[in-house]
Amino acid sequence: QVQLVESGGGVVQAGGSLRLSCAASRRSFNNYAMGWFRQAPGRDREFVASLRGNGGALYYADYAKGRFTVSRDNDKITVYLQMNSLNVEDTAVYYCAARARTGRAGADVNDYDYWGQGTQVTVSS
């Protein structure tokens, strides 16, 4: 069983930045495709970004392109989500997820096998 723990959330003013981290409990995580999702109150969980297990291809939701960057550090068994130019619409609980199966980790929550507990991001105007 892979455990994922997010951190780095908090309160930030509009236009500011945050970096979220997702630390995994074992090194096999380094082979898994990873994704970031978010969920605002009253809304479905939505895709933010993902990257392949080899750290190659990256995918972003349209609203995240140019503002968010996903990366991983295999030595630290950690995936990051750097978020810049935040706005109030980015307020949500952010979750990381891992896909242990082969194949692309896409934009569907069902693509993923393991989830973290989430970290709250609040952007104030």
Side-chain angles (χ1 to χ4, degrees), residues 19 34 69 117:
R19 188 178 78 158
M34 295 296 298
T69 303
Q117 82 289 350

Side-chain angles (χ1 to χ4, degrees), residues 73-91:
D73 183 335
N74 285 348
D75 288 339
K76 296 181 179 179
I77 328 176
T78 300
V79 171
Y80 302 98
L81 183 67
Q82 177 68 43
M83 305 187 294
N84 299 327
S85 302
L86 287 162
N87 55 60
V88 294
E89 289 76 25
D90 295 316
T91 295

Side-chain angles (χ1 to χ4, degrees), residues 14-91:
S17 299
L18 282 175
R19 188 178 78 158
L20 306 183
S21 299
C22 172
S25 58
R26 56 190 177 120
R27 291 210 170 269
S28 57
F29 155 91
N30 287 336
N31 298 317
Y32 297 167
M34 295 296 298
W36 284 97
F37 286 74
R38 69 184 187 182
Q39 189 166 19
R43 300 185 65 176
D44 291 336
R45 194 167 297 190
E46 66 175 355
F47 174 73
V48 179
S50 66
L51 73 169
R52 289 186 179 272
N54 62 7
L58 308 177
Y59 305 95
Y60 294 94
D62 286 343
Y63 65 81
K65 292 177 182 177
R67 298 192 300 131
F68 295 1
T69 303
V70 61
S71 63
R72 71 194 306 162
D73 183 335
N74 285 348
D75 288 339
K76 296 181 179 179
I77 328 176
T78 300
V79 171
Y80 302 98
L81 183 67
Q82 177 68 43
M83 305 187 294
N84 299 327
S85 302
L86 287 162
N87 55 60
V88 294
E89 289 76 25
D90 295 316
T91 295

